[in-house]
């Protein structure tokens, strides 16, 4: 990596986590169950049969985790709120003890000068709302707007940004399309209807938060990728075009253009979502920032068996191809297609099978991964894309959804038996990188 890369002064360097993956304390102080609690306790759903009951016990150890971030010298922390902690049933009464927890977390961040970037929904729907139909029920979108309004009213002054959703693509396609994620439904038509309700809930929540005048910047976090055909064949090119349309444009077009993309909409046929009058107007409203999570590209092969991705840059412990230039290509493509607000890279990072040796984790591959993606990010910025921050996923090793604790994404190692945190080589590298960037931008 070119150490003199002049990321602009004021560029935000952060780390990211989400509530269910780190907090634990699954029923502490009045928290209600979420669909992920239910899912983990259903045999066969999680590869290592683990749960989020304890996770990184961040609920009780948040001060230590904030101290870790302070020692890294990061500017910002992206985290999510467990809806069922602050509203146990997803409707009705608020749980003051839950809000107190987040208030204490914000105190600790403020005391260290770390900006707080909140995500309202990182997949842990209150089970009470699932019992009423979950995201397949249109009413859930209205419940989400109520929740968003209340959070913005209480915390809107203490947060740098509020994102409505994290990766609605996953909620819809993995939660309802292929049953890999909670609530574990596999039905294509449901997944598409859910994606519409998620977008609607985003729009309703934006309006609700604007009503209370939250000074925090408001937006959404989308997972995105470019889609490359495996060969030049018409079939592969068609598949790639469809993949990009159904995954990226499906969420971007409604927000930025007010309609679903033609290609995917036509292909969905009878599975196209029910859209009521006024829905697209609710969704199509200005956002203050766009969060982009980037991990890999989509590789599209129509042959049987499919031609595998070349993975010339290697692949991660998740089996995901390492493809940094996809980040440059994606950002340039978005920049050309939409009038974008400032972008934050809200997640980027890799899983590796890290094991401490004499108390030290030398995760050189992660350092290389991050450095190459920062080069790729900077290449897009040089070509005019307005990116204002980068959040490394993740601060801590944590509960990686249906992979349980088997996949480690942290720059800080967590020993789940003792809850001992040990910064890996990548944490120290990131600390030095951020310090060097800051020193550079302070140089006249
Ligand atoms: C993203 C999720 C995040 C984490 C990373 C590895 O899709 O937003 O919670 O699981 O992948």
């Amino acid at each position: 990596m070119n150490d003199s890369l002049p990321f602009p002064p004021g560029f935000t360097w952060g780390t990211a986590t989400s509530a269910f993956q780190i907090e634990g304390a699954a029923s502490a102080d009045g928290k209600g169950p979420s669909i992920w609690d239910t899912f983990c306790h259903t045999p066969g759903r999680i590869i290592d049969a683990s749960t989020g009951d304890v996770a990184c016990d961040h609920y009780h150890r948040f001060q230590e985790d904030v101290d870790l971030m302070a020692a890294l010298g990061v500017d910002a922390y992206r985290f999510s709120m467990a809806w069922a902690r602050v509203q146990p049933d997803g409707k009705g009464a608020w749980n003051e003890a839950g809000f107190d927890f987040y208030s204490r977390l914000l105190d600790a961040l403020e005391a260290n000068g770390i900006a707080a970037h909140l995500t309202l929904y990182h997949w842990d729907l209150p089970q009470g709302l699932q019992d009423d139909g979950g995201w397949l029920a249109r009413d859930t979108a209205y419940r989400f707007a109520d929740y968003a309004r209340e959070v913005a009213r209480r915390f809107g002054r203490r947060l740098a940004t509020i994102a409505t959703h994290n990766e609605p693509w996953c909620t819809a396609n993995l939660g309802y399309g292929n049953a890999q994620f909670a609530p574990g439904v596999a039905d294509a038509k449901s997944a598409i209807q859910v994606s519409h309700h998620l977008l609607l809930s985003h729009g309703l929540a934006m309006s609700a938060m604007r009503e209370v005048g939250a000074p925090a910047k408001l937006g959404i976090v989308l997972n995105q990728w470019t889609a490359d055909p495996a060969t030049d064949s018409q079939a592969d090119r068609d598949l790639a075009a469809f993949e990009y349309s159904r995954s990226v444009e499906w969420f971007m077009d409604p927000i930025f253009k007010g309609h679903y993309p033609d290609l995917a909409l036509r292909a969905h046929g009878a599975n196209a979502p029910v859209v009521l009058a006024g829905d697209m107007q609710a969704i199509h409203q200005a956002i203050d920032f766009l969060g982009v999570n980037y991990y890999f590209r989509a590789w599209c092969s129509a042959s049987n068996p499919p031609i595998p991705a070349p993975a010339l840059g290697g692949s991660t412990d998740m089996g995901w191809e390492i493809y940094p230039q996809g980040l440059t290509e994606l950002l340039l493509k978005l920049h050309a297609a939409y009038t974008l607000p400032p972008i934050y890279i809200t997640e980027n990072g890799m899983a590796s099978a890290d094991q401490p040796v004499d108390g030290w984790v030398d995760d050189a591959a992660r350092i290389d991964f991050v450095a190459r993606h920062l080069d790729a990010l900077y290449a897009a910025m040089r070509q005019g894309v307005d990116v204002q921050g980068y959040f490394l996923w993740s601060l801590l090793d944590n509960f990686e959804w249906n992979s349980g604790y088997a996949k480690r994404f942290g720059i800080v190692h967590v020993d789940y038996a003792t809850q001992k945190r040990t910064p890996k080589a990548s944490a120290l590298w990131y600390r030095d990188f951020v310090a060097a960037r800051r020193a550079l931008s302070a140089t006249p």
Side-chain angles (χ1 to χ4, degrees), residues 176-194:
Y176 285 83
N178 68 11
Q180 278 179 17
F181 283 9
V185 177
D187 177 57
K189 188 173 171 64
S190 297
I192 293 165
Q193 188 61 48
V194 162

Side-chain angles (χ1 to χ4, degrees), residues 17-18 21 78 122-123 166-167 170 174 181 221 223 293 295-296 318 320 347-351 393-394 398-401 409:
T17 64
S18 88
Q21 295 177 276
R78 172 173 180 250
H122 202 124
W123 307 350
N166 176 72
E167 304 190 349
C170 292
L174 307 182
F181 283 9
V221 171
N223 53 319
N293 292 356
Y295 288 96
F296 48 73
M318 298 294 282
W320 297 348
E347 285 181 31
N348 175 239
M350 73 175 277
W393 183 274
S394 177
N398 59 45
F399 177 80
E400 178 50 29
W401 309 111
F409 273 92

Side-chain angles (χ1 to χ4, degrees), residues 24-33 37 52-53 59 84-85 95:
S27 54
D29 301 331
K31 178 183 168 290
D37 291 307
D53 290 1
Y59 186 76
R85 205 177 278 297
N95 179 30

Side-chain angles (χ1 to χ4, degrees), residues 160-352:
T161 67
I162 304 177
T164 53
H165 283 276
N166 176 72
E167 304 190 349
W169 184 96
C170 292
T171 307
N173 290 287
L174 307 182
Y176 285 83
N178 68 11
Q180 278 179 17
F181 283 9
V185 177
D187 177 57
K189 188 173 171 64
S190 297
I192 293 165
Q193 188 61 48
V194 162
S195 69
H196 179 66
H197 290 158
L198 293 167
L199 280 162
L200 175 63
S201 77
H202 158 77
L204 297 174
M206 288 295 298
S207 305
M209 293 192 286
R210 295 259 192 251
E211 263 164 46
V212 300
K217 300 241 179 295
L218 308 179
I220 188 168
V221 171
L222 303 176
N223 53 319
Q224 302 196 330
W225 42 69
T226 50
D228 291 342
T231 71
D232 238 8
S233 73
Q234 191 62 44
D236 286 357
R237 283 187 286 132
D238 287 350
L239 188 64
F242 171 62
E243 169 55 28
Y244 190 76
S245 183
R246 77 163 195 113
S247 295
V248 176
E249 295 176 339
W250 189 260
F251 293 93
M252 290 292 282
D253 284 13
I255 295 171
F256 290 101
K257 298 181 172 171
H259 55 76
Y260 283 105
D262 274 352
L263 179 62
L265 196 58
R266 268 187 280 115
H268 288 331
N271 286 347
V274 175
V275 176
L276 301 191
D279 286 5
M280 297 319 285
Q281 288 87 322
I283 298 167
H284 178 43
Q285 56 176 298
I287 58 177
D288 302 324
F289 75 94
L290 173 68
V292 173
N293 292 356
Y294 178 77
Y295 288 96
F296 48 73
R297 66 170 160 175
W299 178 256
C300 303
S301 168
S303 354
N304 187 13
I307 299 169
L312 299 176
S315 53
T316 75
D317 199 33
M318 298 294 282
W320 297 348
E321 183 193 16
I322 299 176
Y323 194 68
Q325 66 263 45
L327 178 58
T328 316
E329 290 164 13
L330 171 67
L331 292 173
L332 292 175
K333 197 164 171 174
L334 298 176
H335 183 61
Y338 305 97
T339 305
L340 296 172
I343 290 178
Y344 287 100
I345 303 304
T346 31
E347 285 181 31
N348 175 239
M350 73 175 277
S352 55

